[in-house]
Amino acid sequence: MALRAGRGVLRRKPIALIQESEGGAGQQLQRALGLWQLTAIGVGGIIGAGIFTLAGTVANGKAGPAVLVSFLIAGVASAAAAFSYAEFAGLIPKAGSAYTYGYAVLGELAGWFIGWDLLLEYTAIVAVVAIGISGYFGFLLGEMGVELPAWMLGAPGTGDGHRVDLFAAALCLLIAYLLTLGIKNAARFETVVVGLKVLVVLLVIGVGFFHVRTGNYTPFFPFGVSGAFTGAATVFFAVFGYDAMSTAAEESKDAQRHMPKAILYSLAISMVLYVLACLVLTGMQDYRAIDPESGFSSAFKAVGLTGLADVIAVGAIIGILTVMFTFMLGVTRVWFSMSRDGLLPKWFAHTHPRRQVPTRVTWIVGIASAAIAGFLPIGEAAELTNIGILLAFVVVCTAVIVLRYKRPDLPRTFRTPGMPVVPALGVVFSIWLITFLEWQTWVRFAVWFVIGLVVYFAYSYRRSEMAKAEREVAALEDGDGS
């Protein structure tokens, strides 16, 4: 039974057309990534913000030692969705990830809103991570006795005299520059830095284990069980870097075989390291004393390991760069895919003639994320990131169920186990986590949603490639009937 194309906002982009499409002149990406480069990009996106930044933030103000539970809850929900992403990645190995999957199965409007949300939220994630790195940079400079002018050390309202987080903004522009060098060079940088980051995390876990005091785990739920769930909603974006990595499917040498494996490998490796790191962090230092911005460095300093604290700060600065890399890669590929489909101006889908990367959108995202990182506190920036990502998980998990029963004949290199229970759990967990987000987050999301609605009906609805095809079919039908 074939999936009907639909009409209007429900029109779907046929999977066969997506599989065959490579874009026209000036709209092609280079296939250069192997399995372990893809896995490194996934691990690079997942490990970093959660360990070096949000673990301390959530432990200190939302969950206490139960930050471990927060990560486990987020990890279970993420794993349920990861299987769905893996199935789609093998079936539709194209740029765009959740946007492309939603467009193919649930229709143009659903695909549009997922893509539209990811544009904001991936950009905000880049900014959040940049702010986190800036916190470690400030810690490191303080240890070296270097004092910088207060105006450049943070966003307004984050400290006396703070006007802009200059270092965070500069990092966003640096990552944009790296991504414009071409996917092969950029991925080589990412793979090396991810290796260094994993070594730093293993060092943190190995040394910190000997300084754990079990008394610091009591009380385990100082903010109640609800605090652990609130923390899960906050840290959720730290356990789905595979989503952003899957947007690079069109740059993989063998996406149908490698993408599903890379998604599952990256999540499994990252969750083991997250659990061990959370146990060490909250065991070394009372949750109330953990520095929300540079948790591990402050924890090691508290037990007298100042030298190691400096090493961790350097490792965090280098390592978290990979998170920025993965998510900036993700947002630029979603934007590229939406523009190539005509939902946004084709001008954005232009790629560099030699490097074959979408340089225009890369620089736009770099500047936008730099502005967010420079002028918003980390808490407010983080609140921009979660609803759309959770909704993307809902869409992908729902779509994989629909497509499995509507098109069981399609060749799949990976099949989600426990169908339909596992993807249904992904839907339930994601909706549940959404309910724990604060009302201000809903307001921001609603505003972005309304803006997206206006853009879609004012521009995208009539200018998409599928809209043009629909008009051509209608014209042929009218001609046959005349």
Side-chain angles (χ1 to χ4, degrees):
M1 178 179 177
L3 211 62
R4 293 183 180 178
R7 288 182 177 273
V9 299
L10 297 178
R11 55 195 172 219
R12 304 177 184 89
K13 190 170 184 180
I15 291 177
L17 181 61
I18 297 175
Q19 291 173 333
E20 294 171 3
S21 173
E22 288 285 349
Q27 296 180 349
Q28 294 182 341
L29 301 174
Q30 181 184 17
R31 292 191 176 275
L33 303 177
L35 173 60
W36 294 110
Q37 288 176 308
L38 289 168
T39 303
I41 292 173
V43 171
I46 300 172
I47 295 179
I51 287 181
F52 294 113
T53 304
L54 283 187
T57 301
V58 172
N60 178 266
K62 294 181 184 293
V67 64
L68 168 64
V69 177
S70 297
F71 273 102
L72 287 174
I73 293 169
V76 169
S78 185
F83 288 121
S84 301
Y85 272 92
E87 179 165 327
F88 269 122
L91 181 64
I92 309 175
K94 292 296 176 180
S97 187
Y99 152 73
T100 301
Y101 310 153
Y103 199 167
V105 181
L106 302 179
E108 186 173 274
L109 187 60
W112 159 262
F113 275 116
I114 292 303
W116 180 251
D117 288 336
L118 293 181
L119 293 183
L120 172 67
E121 305 205 2
Y122 280 1
T123 302
I125 288 172
V126 173
V128 169
V129 175
I131 297 169
I133 300 177
S134 182
Y136 275 92
F137 182 68
F139 173 89
L140 187 61
L141 289 179
E143 290 298 298
M144 297 170 61
V146 177
E147 293 188 11
L148 294 175
W151 65 267
M152 63 181 291
L153 296 179
T158 60
D160 292 338
H162 288 185
R163 294 292 180 267
V164 60
D165 194 330
L166 190 61
F167 185 68
L171 277 176
C172 294
L173 297 176
L174 172 63
I175 297 300
Y177 169 73
L178 289 173
L179 284 171
T180 62
L181 297 180
I183 191 62
K184 184 180 293 185
N185 292 328
R188 187 178 296 120
F189 163 83
E190 173 85 344
T191 302
V192 171
V193 178
V194 165
L196 293 174
K197 175 168 63 175
V198 171
L199 288 177
V200 171
V201 173
L202 291 174
L203 178 66
V204 167
I205 294 169
V207 176
F209 176 79
F210 294 100
H211 296 273
V212 167
R213 291 183 294 172
T214 56
N216 287 329
Y217 295 132
T218 305
F220 193 74
F221 290 97
F223 299 93
V225 176
S226 64
F229 282 105
T230 302
T234 302
V235 304
F236 190 76
F237 87 85
V239 296
F240 66 83
Y242 61 80
D243 170 71
M245 178 265 287
S246 68
T247 65
E250 207 166 316
E251 291 157 287
S252 168
K253 294 177 182 177
D254 189 353
Q256 289 185 308
R257 289 197 309 117
H258 291 165
M259 286 302 301
K261 292 179 181 179
I263 289 171
L264 300 179
Y265 289 170
S266 60
L267 181 61
I269 292 168
S270 301
M271 286 308 302
V272 170
L273 294 177
Y274 269 138
V275 168
L276 295 175
C278 286
L279 282 171
V280 167
L281 175 63
T282 55
M284 289 181 66
Q285 192 173 26
D286 185 280
Y287 73 91
R288 289 164 290 195
I290 294 174
D291 188 328
E293 292 188 350
S294 53
F296 276 102
S297 289
S298 66
F300 275 88
K301 185 178 180 180
V303 298
L305 298 176
T306 303
L308 187 56
D310 294 342
V311 172
I312 293 171
V314 173
I317 291 171
I318 296 173
I320 302 180
L321 284 172
T322 64
V323 182
M324 297 178 65
F325 177 96
T326 299
F327 283 100
M328 192 176 289
L329 173 71
V331 66
T332 56
R333 273 40 177 187
V334 170
W335 195 336
F336 165 83
S337 187
M338 294 177 71
S339 300
R340 187 172 61 183
D341 290 340
L343 293 173
L344 291 172
K346 293 275 189 178
W347 183 85
F348 294 120
H350 176 78
T351 56
H352 191 279
R354 180 168 56 84
R355 298 170 185 166
Q356 292 183 289
V357 290
T359 51
R360 292 172 179 173
V361 297
T362 300
W363 280 118
I364 292 171
V365 170
I367 293 169
S369 58
I372 296 173
F375 297 102
L376 282 183
I378 189 169
E380 292 184 19
E383 288 172 358
L384 295 173
T385 64
N386 291 306
I387 288 185
I389 302 300
L390 289 166
L391 288 178
F393 275 45
V394 171
V395 166
V396 172
C397 290
T398 301
V400 81
I401 296 173
V402 171
L403 195 62
R404 180 72 72 86
Y405 288 100
K406 291 287 188 179
R407 292 296 306 275
D409 58 301
L410 290 172
R412 293 167 168 85
T413 57
F414 177 85
R415 299 175 73 85
T416 302
M419 180 66 72
V421 176
V422 169
L425 284 175
V427 172
V428 172
F429 267 111
S430 298
I431 293 175
W432 192 13
L433 289 174
I434 286 174
T435 65
F436 284 90
L437 296 174
E438 298 177 357
W439 67 268
Q440 294 94 334
T441 306
W442 285 91
V443 171
R444 294 185 182 96
F445 173 75
V447 171
W448 189 246
F449 181 90
V450 171
I451 294 172
L453 202 64
V454 172
V455 173
Y456 176 75
F457 284 107
Y459 180 89
S460 310
Y461 178 74
R462 296 185 181 279
R463 292 176 179 264
S464 74
E465 291 297 308
M466 291 304 297
K468 294 176 182 178
E470 186 177 83
R471 287 194 294 271
E472 289 174 1
V473 170
L476 289 173
E477 290 176 347
D478 290 342
D480 290 340
S482 59

